[in-house]
Every structure is written in structure tokens, then in C-alpha cells.
Amino acid sequence: MNYDPLDTNLDRFLVEWINAIHVQKICPYAKNTLETNKIDVVKVKDADLWDFWSAVSEQCEKFDGTYEMVVVAMNSNIEQINEGQLQGGVDSLNSSLNVRNKGLWLLEGNTGGFTMVLIQDIRKLDDASKLLEPKGYYQTYHPFRYWKQIESRRKLRNKLTTERG
């Protein structure tokens, strides 16, 4: 049997991370998405930076809604990509996807020894946030986080020209 620490450690980390997101009330849907097997995980092993971003781009092109979220992950290597570079890459891809009328939203994660990009349907996320806003769900969000994750995402969603992009 070939043991791969990326597989085992990443799977364990994702379960713990999603449970923490649920407990901290960052996302009320994450735990259910995990428990109903609506997350696909693409592990980029022994990757260089180009392999990682190629895998992210490929998953964006293939995204069809079968899964609520696709996570592309590799072991973190600060010599290849740091948190700021990852965030900039994700911001650039979100703009590029929007210009191409692709209804996706990407979030970055650089924690637990893993570099990750989470791919989701921008419409579903925005619809969910519209349900949560009147309930005061985002009152504890830092203003920049709210602007970035809610207002900016909504602005890009509203720029989409078709319902299926």
C-alpha cells in the first residue's frame, strides 16, 4: 500500500477546518456540504506553482455544479507562493472569470500546511448571502472582509450577462 501524507493530512485538515468554520459561524452551509459529500478535492502532488494554477484553471473550466465546492490543494511551499501572492492570484482569476462570463467565485486558503483554492458557484453563494444578510449574519464581519467577500462578489455576480455562464 502506498501511503501519501498529502491525502491523509489534507482530508483530516479539511474536516477539522470545515467544522471550525461551522462553529465560528463563518459559513452555515459548509458542514452540510461536507456531510453530504458535495465537496470534490483535487490534490496536486509534488507540484510546482504552474501545476497548481493549471489545476485550478482546469477545474474552473470543468465546473458544472455536480459539487457545491471544488478544492484544489497542494502542500504549502513559501518559496513558491505566499499568502499575498495566493490572494492576488485568486483576485485576478475572479476578475478573469467574470469578464469571460463564467459564474464562479474563488476563495483562497493558505493554512494548515496547505495552499488551496476553493471554487464555487457565484450565484448560489450570493443567493445564500442575501438570505443571511437580513438576519444580521454579517454584523461581526470586519468591514474589509464584508466588502471583499459579500459586496465585491455581488458586484461581479451582477455583471454576469447570462444565467448560465
Side-chain angles (χ1 to χ4, degrees):
M1 184 178 294
N2 193 4
Y3 172 74
D4 187 339
L6 176 61
D7 289 338
T8 305
N9 294 339
L10 178 60
D11 292 342
R12 184 179 322 115
F13 169 76
L14 284 173
V15 169
E16 292 170 1
W17 185 54
I18 288 171
N19 283 327
I21 287 171
H22 179 74
V23 169
Q24 296 168 14
K25 298 186 182 201
I26 293 171
C27 177
Y29 305 108
K31 188 172 182 180
N32 184 57
T33 301
L34 175 69
E35 291 173 347
T36 58
N37 296 316
K38 293 288 187 178
I39 299 175
D40 187 26
V41 180
V42 176
K43 300 165 186 166
V44 186
K45 300 175 185 174
D46 301 320
D48 65 24
L49 191 56
W50 309 114
D51 292 335
F52 176 73
W53 286 117
S54 293
V56 170
S57 296
E58 180 181 335
Q59 292 304 312
C60 287
E61 292 304 314
K62 291 171 43 176
F63 192 93
D64 63 3
T66 300
Y67 294 95
E68 296 290 320
M69 178 191 314
V70 175
V71 178
V72 179
M74 71 175 188
N75 288 316
S76 291
N77 180 342
I78 197 72
E79 307 236 346
Q80 287 190 35
I81 189 167
N82 64 36
E83 191 172 331
Q85 292 165 324
L86 180 62
Q87 186 174 23
V90 165
D91 289 345
S92 295
L93 281 173
N94 278 331
S95 294
S96 175
L97 289 164
N98 189 259
V99 167
R100 294 175 27 232
N101 203 45
K102 189 98 170 144
L104 298 177
W105 180 254
L106 280 54
L107 291 169
E108 74 281 345
N110 195 354
T111 186
F114 302 102
T115 297
M116 301 177 292
V117 172
L118 290 63
I119 305 166
Q120 296 175 283
D121 183 309
I122 196 170
R123 292 172 188 92
K124 287 184 179 181
L125 288 170
D126 189 48
D127 289 347
S129 70
K130 286 178 180 178
L131 294 173
L132 294 172
E133 275 180 301
K135 298 176 182 178
Y137 191 82
Y138 301 112
Q139 286 180 344
T140 60
Y141 268 41
H142 183 280
F144 177 77
R145 182 175 173 206
Y146 181 80
W147 171 81
K148 174 100 185 252
Q149 294 182 355
I150 308 302
E151 291 178 350
S152 294
R153 182 182 65 213
R154 184 159 300 143
K155 180 180 176 183
L156 291 182
R157 186 243 175 113
N158 290 337
K159 286 183 173 186
L160 295 173
T161 58
T162 64
E163 263 315 296
R164 287 301 280 167

